[in-house]
Amino acid sequence: MTALKLENVNKSFGPVHVLKDINLTVEEGEFVVFVGPSGCGKSTLLRVIAGLEDASSGTIAIGGEEVNTVPPAKRGIAMVFQSYALYPHLTVKDNMGLGLRQEGRDKSVVEERVAKASAMLDLDRYLTRRPAELSGGQRQRVAIGRAIVRDPKLFLFDEPLSNLDAALRMNTRVEIAALHRTLSASMIYVTHDQIEAMTLADKIVVLRDGRIEQVGSPMELYNNPANRFVASFLGSPSMNFLERSVPGLPAGQTLGIRPEHLHLAEDGPIKGEVTHVERLGGDTNLLVRTDEDETLTVRLFGQDMTPVGARVTLGYKATDAFYFDAEDARLQPEAA
């Protein structure tokens, strides 16, 4: 069954057109990540799916049923917010079970579902605590547990890790991925962090200015970006783009090459000077200013002792190069 289907969804706030002809299908059990820069419309799209905002036009179907006029509480969704949204005066147990109690569920059902969710999220020892007695990561697990107990058709996550520090973000990311495997649930996850998108998603939806730029698996988008925007957004460090530093490149075209696909060479097409070095232990990033006054990043695996100020020559395999036209659309190899 299709978990979610959006057809020609638009959203405007007065004269501002925020979402533009969104068409998307989420299959049952898929983990779909909406990713894009701030202001691209990803959180607005999530709120439209949840019913917290009305679509200006188009159709929204959840579990095969149109829900455009269905209130949020009746859509069969559960939402996890960036801010946790926990009641400070309630215990962990009461926060997790509150939604079910408000629905009038039997006490035994509430107890059973809270127990199951707390065991799944390793929250058993914290059930009698209040949010102020928990760490940020534990509070976010409580918010996720509150969503789980509702047994929704669709989970919606709105940048749930942005308030956590780097170590907690990684741990909680692993927990969310494990949770998805355990529940086999349909999940939509909004983030501006492309690492979260690459590591969590079955399918990534890249948004820009209220439009979908490309949809596909993480490696599909990484290896075959449709345009320069998608190519630049996925990958860390981001893709290099050169217009003057590559001999023979036709006017109006841009060459894209990922940092890990560049290497130091005795004879290569790109020459320049190292302006900065980042030694990260497992690998080394060189920032190079080319002789044509363009800056690029070179990712070298392992420890490299090239100093700042060194003259370097860089090479790459032709099969690793991407080409883009003047409108930033991807050119296929035969057209480049």
Side-chain angles (χ1 to χ4, degrees):
M1 180 189 293
T2 299
L4 172 72
K5 191 173 183 65
L6 306 176
E7 294 183 318
N8 301 316
V9 171
N10 287 268
K11 174 63 181 177
S12 296
F13 293 98
V16 182
H17 198 176
V18 178
L19 298 177
K20 304 162 187 174
D21 296 320
I22 301 293
N23 290 280
L24 179 69
T25 299
V26 176
E27 301 297 342
E28 190 71 30
E30 266 192 322
F31 197 124
V32 176
V33 176
F34 295 168
V35 68
S38 296
C40 71
K42 55 189 184 295
S43 289
T44 299
L45 179 55
L46 198 74
R47 291 174 64 83
V48 167
I49 294 167
L52 301 176
E53 299 284 356
D54 293 329
S56 301
S57 63
T59 302
I60 304 162
I62 296 175
E65 298 181 7
E66 185 177 325
V67 296
N68 285 56
T69 58
V70 177
K74 302 293 184 181
R75 291 195 179 193
I77 58 99
M79 196 160 180
V80 179
F81 297 93
Q82 173 183 342
S83 62
Y84 315 140
L86 301 177
Y87 289 95
H89 65 290
L90 297 181
T91 64
V92 167
K93 182 178 179 180
D94 289 340
N95 264 289
M96 290 173 65
L98 181 63
L100 293 178
R101 292 196 302 274
Q102 289 175 332
E103 292 174 9
R105 297 297 184 94
D106 188 81
K107 183 178 179 181
S108 62
V109 173
V110 177
E111 295 277 350
E112 179 184 349
R113 290 196 184 178
V114 169
K116 183 178 179 180
S118 63
M120 194 180 298
L121 295 165
D122 194 26
L123 289 170
D124 288 340
R125 76 193 88 166
Y126 306 114
L127 288 177
T128 58
R129 295 190 188 181
R130 287 178 170 76
E133 302 172 274
L134 304 176
S135 68
Q138 289 163 348
R139 292 180 201 175
Q140 193 56 276
R141 294 216 304 274
V142 175
I144 293 169
R146 182 180 54 197
I148 291 171
V149 299
R150 297 190 61 194
D151 192 23
K153 298 176 185 175
L154 190 63
F155 285 86
L156 305 178
F157 293 85
D158 190 8
E159 303 204 46
L161 308 186
S162 59
N163 286 338
L164 305 181
D165 63 36
L168 270 177
R169 276 203 304 271
M170 186 181 75
N171 292 339
T172 310
R173 193 167 69 228
V174 171
E175 289 173 357
I176 290 173
L179 184 66
H180 176 248
R181 289 192 296 270
T182 300
L183 296 175
S184 298
S186 306
M187 296 182 175
I188 297 177
Y189 186 105
V190 164
T191 183
H192 64 273
D193 186 328
Q194 56 96 9
I195 294 177
E196 286 181 24
M198 293 290 289
T199 55
L200 285 172
D202 296 320
K203 184 161 69 182
I204 293 176
V205 180
V206 182
L207 291 141
R208 177 172 61 162
D209 297 333
R211 297 187 187 276
I212 293 177
E213 291 287 317
Q214 192 172 358
V215 178
S217 69
M219 295 316 298
E220 183 182 347
L221 268 58
Y222 189 82
N223 292 325
N224 293 295
N227 54 44
R228 178 169 170 167
F229 175 78
V230 176
S232 66
F233 201 82
L234 296 178
S236 181
S238 60
M239 184 181 284
N240 298 297
F241 298 100
L242 301 171
E243 296 176 357
R244 303 184 301 275
S245 302
V246 181
L249 188 67
Q253 285 192 21
T254 301
L255 179 138
I257 188 78
R258 295 203 180 276
E260 64 269 25
H261 292 153
L262 288 166
H263 60 267
L264 299 176
E266 290 186 7
D267 183 25
I270 304 172
K271 301 182 188 302
E273 180 179 318
V274 176
T275 60
H276 182 67
V277 179
E278 296 177 333
R279 294 190 173 91
L280 305 175
D283 50 61
T284 305
N285 293 333
L286 306 181
L287 269 66
V288 176
R289 193 71 177 173
T290 71
D291 290 349
E292 286 69 31
D293 203 31
E294 294 181 306
T295 300
L296 54 79
T297 303
V298 184
R299 184 182 181 191
L300 303 174
F301 295 97
Q303 298 180 10
D304 183 89
M305 293 297 110
T306 302
V308 171
R311 291 285 304 169
V312 293
T313 300
L314 303 174
Y316 57 88
K317 294 180 182 177
T319 52
D320 289 331
F322 297 82
Y323 294 91
F324 304 91
D325 65 18
E327 283 72 46
D328 291 341
R330 168 92 180 277
L331 294 169
Q332 295 307 311
E334 61 271 14

